[in-house]
Amino acid sequence: MSETTILANSHVNGTRVPLAPTIPHKITSDAEALTIAHTLAQAFRKEAAARDSQRRLPWDELERYTASGLGGITIERLYGGAEVSYETLAQVFVILCAADPSLGQIPQNHFALIQNVRDLGTESQKKRWFGDVLQGYRLGNAGPERKAKARVVTDSTARLTRTKDGLRVTGTRFYSTGALYAHWVPFRAVDEDNKPVQVWVKRDASGLEIIDDWSSFGQRTTASGTVILNNVPVEEDNIIHVSRHADVPTLSGPVSQLIQVAIDVGIAEGALHDALAFVRDKTRAWTDSGLSNATDDPYIIQEVGKLQIEVHAAHEVLLATARTIDAIAKHPVSAATSARASVAIAEAKILAVEAALSASEKLLELAGSSATRAAHNLDRHWRNARVHTLHDPVRWKYHLLGNYLLNGVYPKRHQWN
């Protein structure tokens, strides 16, 4: 066993923790980022079904991902990053999620947080946190709380207070994708004036506990469970005062959504890929068709064609939306351009959700009853699609789009728009 494997299997109090950061490869171009994503996807696809069925967390795969340098690709060149386009970012997520959407989803908050710092962080925060990412640190958000503790998704149960010993934060968070695997764990809280802040704490901070209690039937290895904050110490410069930027239009919401849509497109492409492979290799022709091969069945051929159109359309609209965001990002963001980005990503979201659910459902229909055997674990595509597409309700995307087109109403600015 190699030293790296031994370190990767290290535990603290019985819980596996990330390796100490090491300097990753430095990616310098969009083309290189895409090449590396394809190489990783080819490797990650091999054990994706087994990781899902066994709920085997992808610790070693994430270390390989981090070492590849993909984690720093959106950081601006000014701070040492590759500053790839948002189109490339979307493509990277599609590529990885087509291979393993649970593994592919884990860095979603890492990139959303980079964008958040880019939009709202101070110069010292940008230098420090971007520098950390380029040194191999992973970021993982402690997400919104469940209804039992928070009335709506934007409510925060974590509270930042000033004590005689300095700033402390206490509360509980859930839906914490990436936190278990991260070196920095940022999250939303409210200060003593009930104003929203984003707080950054280290993974090993005193009083921080991350519980792997994610039990969803899909996206099983994202480990998007509970983060408990018990009087965790916080440094002054590790706070982004969100309330001070409430009226500042940014691209944080559209970029966050761009990643979510890319994950759904990846799920759709992965399901279509496995549907074609199974029908070619294992599906029998129906007895009434008079055919020897299922691949000659005109009804299967027609359905495959329809699926390809749906998946391809979702992918192309995603890329068109990414190019729209790229164009907007070249200029100071205004309320109008921020709204245009949110509207564009809403269209992409609608198509991606439909494609992911359709492809993962049709996979089983076209492949036939033998495809339902547990050994194949093909139902993971539908489970992953159904769970991830619930991230934020697509019905409100229709409302957002219609209200903008009909009434000129700008979407509300938050991470779900």
Side-chain angles (χ1 to χ4, degrees), residues 214 216-219 357 382-391:
W214 178 246
S216 173
F217 62 69
Q219 295 298 90
L357 293 174
W382 181 86
R383 290 187 284 104
N384 291 334
R386 183 63 283 179
V387 167
H388 188 263
T389 56
L390 296 175
H391 178 273

Side-chain angles (χ1 to χ4, degrees), residues 224-242:
S224 305
T226 300
V227 172
I228 296 175
L229 307 152
N230 185 14
N231 206 34
V232 177
V234 178
E235 296 179 18
E236 289 277 359
D237 198 39
N238 288 347
I239 301 169
I240 295 178
H241 294 275
V242 178

Side-chain angles (χ1 to χ4, degrees), residues 301-368:
I301 290 172
Q302 179 188 19
E303 290 298 327
V304 166
K306 287 174 62 178
L307 272 183
Q308 173 60 33
I309 292 169
E310 290 179 23
V311 174
H312 183 66
H315 195 163
E316 289 303 310
V317 173
L318 167 67
L319 297 184
T321 297
R323 289 191 291 270
T324 294
I325 296 175
D326 279 321
I328 290 171
K330 292 178 181 178
H331 308 280
V333 179
S334 66
T337 57
S338 177
R340 184 155 60 89
S342 291
V343 169
I345 200 62
E347 290 189 48
K349 168 84 172 181
I350 290 166
L351 290 176
V353 166
E354 292 174 352
L357 293 174
S358 179
S360 57
E361 169 71 18
K362 281 290 182 181
L363 158 60
L364 298 172
E365 178 185 331
L366 298 179

Side-chain angles (χ1 to χ4, degrees), residues 74-91:
T74 58
I75 292 174
E76 296 162 280
R77 292 186 182 276
L78 174 65
Y79 301 100
E83 198 174 349
V84 303
S85 67
Y86 292 113
E87 182 178 1
T88 292
L89 176 65
Q91 284 280 50

Side-chain angles (χ1 to χ4, degrees), residues 17 24 43 50 71-72 103 109 150 180 194 199 208 258 281 339 357 362 412:
V17 296
L103 173 54
N109 288 319
L180 185 70
N194 284 321
V199 180
L208 173 67
L258 183 77
D281 298 338
L357 293 174
K362 281 290 182 181
K412 293 182 179 178

Side-chain angles (χ1 to χ4, degrees), residues 116-368:
N116 205 233
V117 174
R118 188 171 174 173
D119 287 338
L120 305 178
T122 65
E123 189 62 24
S124 66
Q125 288 170 338
K126 290 177 184 180
K127 289 179 179 178
R128 184 156 49 91
W129 289 328
F130 291 164
D132 278 356
V133 169
L134 294 173
Q135 293 291 310
Y137 285 70
R138 289 192 294 270
L139 314 179
N141 179 53
E145 188 46 83
R146 289 180 281 192
K147 186 179 179 181
K149 293 182 179 292
R151 183 179 55 86
V152 296
V153 72
T154 50
D155 284 352
S156 178
T157 59
R159 182 167 292 276
L160 181 70
T161 56
R162 193 174 297 278
T163 73
K164 62 181 178 61
D165 298 316
L167 289 169
R168 296 291 185 270
V169 65
T170 296
T172 304
R173 310 292 287 173
F174 194 69
Y175 299 112
S176 303
T177 304
L180 185 70
Y181 308 101
H183 303 98
W184 277 105
V185 183
F187 53 89
R188 287 292 185 100
V190 292
D191 63 17
E192 291 175 312
D193 297 321
N194 284 321
K195 292 181 178 179
V197 290
Q198 186 183 82
V199 180
W200 288 54
V201 297
K202 286 284 186 70
R203 173 69 169 78
D204 59 356
S206 172
L208 173 67
E209 182 182 5
I210 300 178
I211 303 172
D212 179 22
D213 57 353
W214 178 246
S215 59
S216 173
F217 62 69
Q219 295 298 90
R220 299 184 67 214
T221 62
T222 60
S224 305
T226 300
V227 172
I228 296 175
L229 307 152
N230 185 14
N231 206 34
V232 177
V234 178
E235 296 179 18
E236 289 277 359
D237 198 39
N238 288 347
I239 301 169
I240 295 178
H241 294 275
V242 178
S243 61
R244 297 176 186 175
H245 307 276
D247 297 325
V248 179
T250 71
L251 291 176
S252 284
V255 170
S256 178
Q257 279 290 295
L258 183 77
I259 296 167
Q260 303 296 346
V261 174
I263 293 167
D264 291 336
V265 172
I267 292 172
E269 293 198 351
L272 180 56
H273 173 276
D274 281 3
L276 296 177
F278 199 95
V279 170
R280 288 192 192 108
D281 298 338
K282 295 182 173 64
T283 302
R284 293 182 296 187
W286 182 239
T287 182
D288 292 337
S289 70
L291 299 169
S292 300
N293 299 307
T295 52
D296 295 324
D297 185 323
Y299 299 110
I300 290 179
I301 290 172
Q302 179 188 19
E303 290 298 327
V304 166
K306 287 174 62 178
L307 272 183
Q308 173 60 33
I309 292 169
E310 290 179 23
V311 174
H312 183 66
H315 195 163
E316 289 303 310
V317 173
L318 167 67
L319 297 184
T321 297
R323 289 191 291 270
T324 294
I325 296 175
D326 279 321
I328 290 171
K330 292 178 181 178
H331 308 280
V333 179
S334 66
T337 57
S338 177
R340 184 155 60 89
S342 291
V343 169
I345 200 62
E347 290 189 48
K349 168 84 172 181
I350 290 166
L351 290 176
V353 166
E354 292 174 352
L357 293 174
S358 179
S360 57
E361 169 71 18
K362 281 290 182 181
L363 158 60
L364 298 172
E365 178 185 331
L366 298 179

